[in-house]
Amino acid sequence: MAGTPGLLFLLLSLLLHTVGPVSPYSTHWKPTWPAYRLPVVLPQSTFNLAEPEFGAEAKLEVSSSCGPQCHKGAPLPTYEDVKQYLSYETLYANGSRTETQVGIYVLRSGQGESPGKSRRKRQIYGYDSRFSIFGKDFLLNYPFSTSVKLSTGCTGTLVAEKHVLTAAHCIHDGKTYVKGTQKLRVGFLKPKFKDGGQGANNASSAMPEKMKFQWIRVKRTHVPKGWIKGNANDIGMDYDYALLELKKPHKRKFMKIGVSPPAKQLPGGRIHFSGYDNDRPGNLVYRFCDVKDETYDLLYQQCDAQPGASGSGVYVRMWKRQQQKWERKIIGIFSGHQWVDMNGSPQDFNVAVRITPLKYAQICYWIKGNYLDCREG
């Protein structure tokens, strides 16, 4: 890719604009966001927990031996199981902690969707197909501007005026909170001006020398009990997501969350995400690839990625019939790496946690605080 800057510029330019592959009024088929009627996930009771420890080392990738067939063959959870998994812990900036038990409901006016060995981890598949995003014209424009860096080393995505979606393992290892989580910060890339001022009239004197991070403290975090419980029963990767609420609005355009459609309905069968891979320090790295397999909770793919990209929002761009426009939505969270036994032959995949109807209802309620605003995903 290094030898084709023109091709890279063209690709990035297409990503930044909203011109669809066909005219919105064309008779050609367009990949369309499904209309979901969603269940409701509501808090039932909240109680205080003892102050947590912050001793876990940050793991910038997670792994699991339970592959697609393992997940597909697992018994379906009961209603009580799901309620337990969707219950959640909230950690506040002052170090206090609560647990909230939830109830799951289906409103009569709308039905909830039902689901139709130690090895060296390798997360680059053949030729490295990642793109480092350079230049403020790209980095500060949507959708790349929605990617942020966590002070624990992971990536997150802006999903509301004060909220960031990331992977649970970026702040909690399943047993306790990661070091630094009590003073967790979120970093936003911005130009670092050579003359130190943004208000200069002379455009050449205000050209950015490089990019830097501006940090905002986190007010509170939500982690589902399915992740905390998961390390004991091998379903943890299914619930590897967390929501961070910032202490003040970030004032950037954000990307909405959406329910993950089946892989066969994704445009070209592909997903996209951008993250701060550790092997390219200071760079935002974009990639896209085909989905190879899926379960109800996970997407298996071979997008090139390295530690640090964990927590990136996985998104697609589809036609929004109601508004008659193209729209990108976050449909998953990049979690980590997995060796899978495929008919006796080990294969490695990168894994993203799908936003299912129940997870959408939960995350949306965390953001909005009102289930009536979370009825369509």
Side-chain angles (χ1 to χ4, degrees), residues 6-230:
L7 176 62
L8 175 57
F9 182 86
L10 176 62
L11 173 64
L12 296 179
S13 297
L14 289 173
L15 284 166
L16 288 171
H17 292 85
T18 57
V19 178
V22 295
S23 164
Y25 302 103
S26 168
T27 57
H28 295 298
W29 177 84
K30 294 186 287 289
T32 302
W33 286 108
Y36 290 97
R37 290 293 178 180
L38 298 169
V40 174
V41 177
L42 285 179
Q44 287 188 325
S45 62
T46 299
F47 52 90
N48 294 322
L49 298 174
E51 289 195 10
E53 297 180 359
F54 297 91
E57 295 293 335
K59 293 182 179 180
L60 302 187
E61 59 180 355
V62 295
S63 60
S64 171
S65 58
C66 184
Q69 297 309 313
C70 167
H71 277 268
K72 292 173 184 177
L76 291 175
T78 66
Y79 172 73
E80 292 300 323
D81 288 338
V82 175
K83 283 207 307 179
Q84 176 63 22
Y85 300 155
L86 292 176
S87 296
Y88 56 92
E89 272 194 19
T90 301
L91 175 68
Y92 297 87
N94 64 4
S96 63
R97 182 174 57 133
T98 61
E99 178 175 325
T100 300
Q101 302 291 329
V102 303
I104 302 171
Y105 309 93
V106 178
L107 298 188
R108 187 173 299 176
S109 58
Q111 295 297 313
E113 291 293 312
S114 57
K117 299 168 182 180
S118 177
R119 299 178 182 268
R120 180 176 65 85
K121 295 180 176 62
R122 179 173 67 87
Q123 293 181 284
I124 301 298
Y125 301 91
Y127 185 81
D128 189 348
S129 59
R130 297 172 297 165
F131 299 89
S132 288
I133 307 301
F134 296 107
K136 66 182 180 67
D137 289 340
F138 292 124
L139 286 167
L140 301 182
N141 277 308
Y142 186 86
F144 304 117
S145 59
T146 64
S147 295
V148 293
K149 186 175 180 66
L150 274 58
S151 55
T152 53
C154 286
T155 300
T157 307
L158 304 176
V159 292
E161 290 87 351
K162 294 175 65 176
H163 292 89
V164 175
L165 188 64
T166 189
H169 75 260
C170 295
I171 61 173
H172 196 292
D173 74 349
K175 297 177 181 177
T176 188
Y177 286 90
V178 168
K179 292 177 182 177
T181 303
Q182 188 174 358
K183 297 182 179 180
L184 187 62
R185 299 179 300 157
V186 171
F188 297 75
L189 270 181
K190 60 176 294 187
K192 182 177 181 180
F193 287 88
K194 193 170 184 179
D195 64 357
Q198 297 185 18
N201 291 325
N202 187 337
S204 63
S205 68
M207 286 297 287
E209 187 177 47
K210 58 181 179 179
M211 306 295 285
K212 68 175 183 178
F213 285 103
Q214 180 180 30
W215 299 89
I216 298 180
R217 285 285 301 274
V218 172
K219 178 181 179 181
R220 60 180 175 178
T221 67
H222 299 302
V223 176
K225 297 292 286 185
W227 167 252
I228 298 171
K229 182 182 177 65

Side-chain angles (χ1 to χ4, degrees), residues 43 61 156 182 203-204 232 235 247 271 288 298 320 343 367 375:
E61 59 180 355
Q182 188 174 358
S204 63
I235 65 154
K247 286 195 169 183
I271 56 172
F288 64 92
L298 301 175
K320 188 75 172 176
N343 299 319
I367 296 171
R375 298 299 299 129

